[in-house]
Amino acid sequence: MRQLRYILIGILSILVVTFTLSQDVAAFGQKENYNIHGGIQFGTNFYHAIEGQQRYAPFGFMANGNVQVQLGAINIPLSFSYNNMQGSLSKPFQQYGASPYYKWAKLHLGYRSLNFSPYVYAGRTFNGVGIELTPGIWNITAFTGKLRNFFSIQDTVVSGALVLPTFDRNIQGAKIGIGKRNKFELSAVKVKDEAGSSPTSILNPQDNLVFGAGLNFRFFKSIQFTLNTASSIFTNNTNATIPEDLQNELKRYENIHQVNATSRISFAGDAGITYNRRQFSLGLKYKRVNPYYYSLATNFIQNDIENYTINTSIGMLKRKLRLRGSLGIQKDNLSNQKAYTSNRLIGSATAIYLPKKELNMMFRYSNYQHENSSGLAIINDTIKILTTTNTIMFNSNYKYYTTELLSSSFNINVFNNYQIDESPTSNRGFKGLGINLSSPIEFTAKEFTISPSFFYNKYTFSTFSQGRIGGGITLSKSFLEKKIITSLTTLISQNQYDGKGNGNLFNASISGSYKINKSNSFLLRLYYFDNQTLLTSSSKEFRGNISYGVRF
């Protein structure tokens, strides 16, 4: 989308003029406004597979850091990460980025992320260049770069995960907004795969153009109105043929987007109004995501749904109890293309109880996806792209004994949820159930902590189930007024398949850190992993890393 390139070049030109004509001379002339601070860590990784597949290289080098440079009135935050310990998942991992800014002008370089709207562009990391200008009530943003296609990650880590060959994915975007408390924004994002960049890819080269608008308006101090809308033109395969009877609705976009038989145009949006008064709020919200709505610049968005919800929250018992909830109706089959239509009652509830400083509890229930939380997750050694649609969760922390010499607490976390694997080769749902218990005991005078734990998790698929049950203990001890901190963790569990034992898993790790002074530190970590299974290949491996950190 060449228009976005021209916008970016124009904004960069404005930035240069701004730096030249609007410099704060006083700030540039003061010595204390020239400094550098932050931290850098570098070291080595090592790995050895005693039994099973060699998943990583025997040795590797890593480096990462976050540095803030101040040059007069200009601030330059820098970040980088590099790891050349190659494995089955990727080439040497490296990310680097900087976001220098001066007053209301900010430049993005390298690996950065921005947030336009939940339907247009929502926080995905890109590698490129961008600019943000916020003079007065204006907000102008433009960027261009490369975007990773995480759907190319397949298979499991234990049995040998891999990254499928995929096309170079380009992304360009722009946003303009006006207002602070009350604001209006327009945005556009273009994501397109370079069809010739990967001749061996089995994935389709895709093309996506999304336009969005947002409004946030507050009146009478207590009433807030919000609106988010977006339209998406999505082509699932740019190599597909162009039919002669291409829809007139799509033909109008031929000059800005590649359309063919796999192209779809769709819409999404939500609108809500909320009343807030002290510890009470009440709101109404409408959300609709039409069939075939996609945005390659966001996490997975559930489409073909329509929600009507009422939302409320209230604080009680002198703010010791906080209740939040929503209740509504959800409908699908919006285009009447399915064999049936489902209407269901949807809701969510959250209760946070803080009766005293020694005790806190939280309970949460939801039976619909009301936020974008999809992404890569490791579930029982398997990489998945997940959407959580139904969840029950409870966690609590209770400090049941505290003195000058000894303190102890009890932690519990329980979850039960239904998730959908959005991987192109899967698209199946599974249920997850888990419980984690721990009870750390700290001997204050001895600077020693012992923490036993127990865990159980189970994942039920359509034809089988798998899980683990076990426990462990963590010991940690500090010396020389916490200049040296050591930790030892051991975990042992039983693998389960369809409710029966499937071998055992043993994990052990030891770490030690030495704070040489305020600026320098040394860290050593060692890991041992032994997974003995009856149905698949067993594995034993040893890995570790040594690193040195400098803060300045």
Side-chain angles (χ1 to χ4, degrees), residues 18 86 157 198 217 233 244 318 344 349 375:
T18 301
Q86 298 185 29
V157 174
S198 180
F217 184 75
I233 313 171
E244 295 182 0
K318 298 181 179 180
R344 68 186 186 109

Side-chain angles (χ1 to χ4, degrees), residues 110-114 121 124-129 143-144 146 171:
Y111 287 90
R112 303 283 88 182
S113 66
L114 298 168
Y121 173 43
R124 292 284 309 278
T125 297
F126 70 93
N127 181 19
V129 58
F143 72 96
T144 183
K146 299 287 187 179
I171 181 171

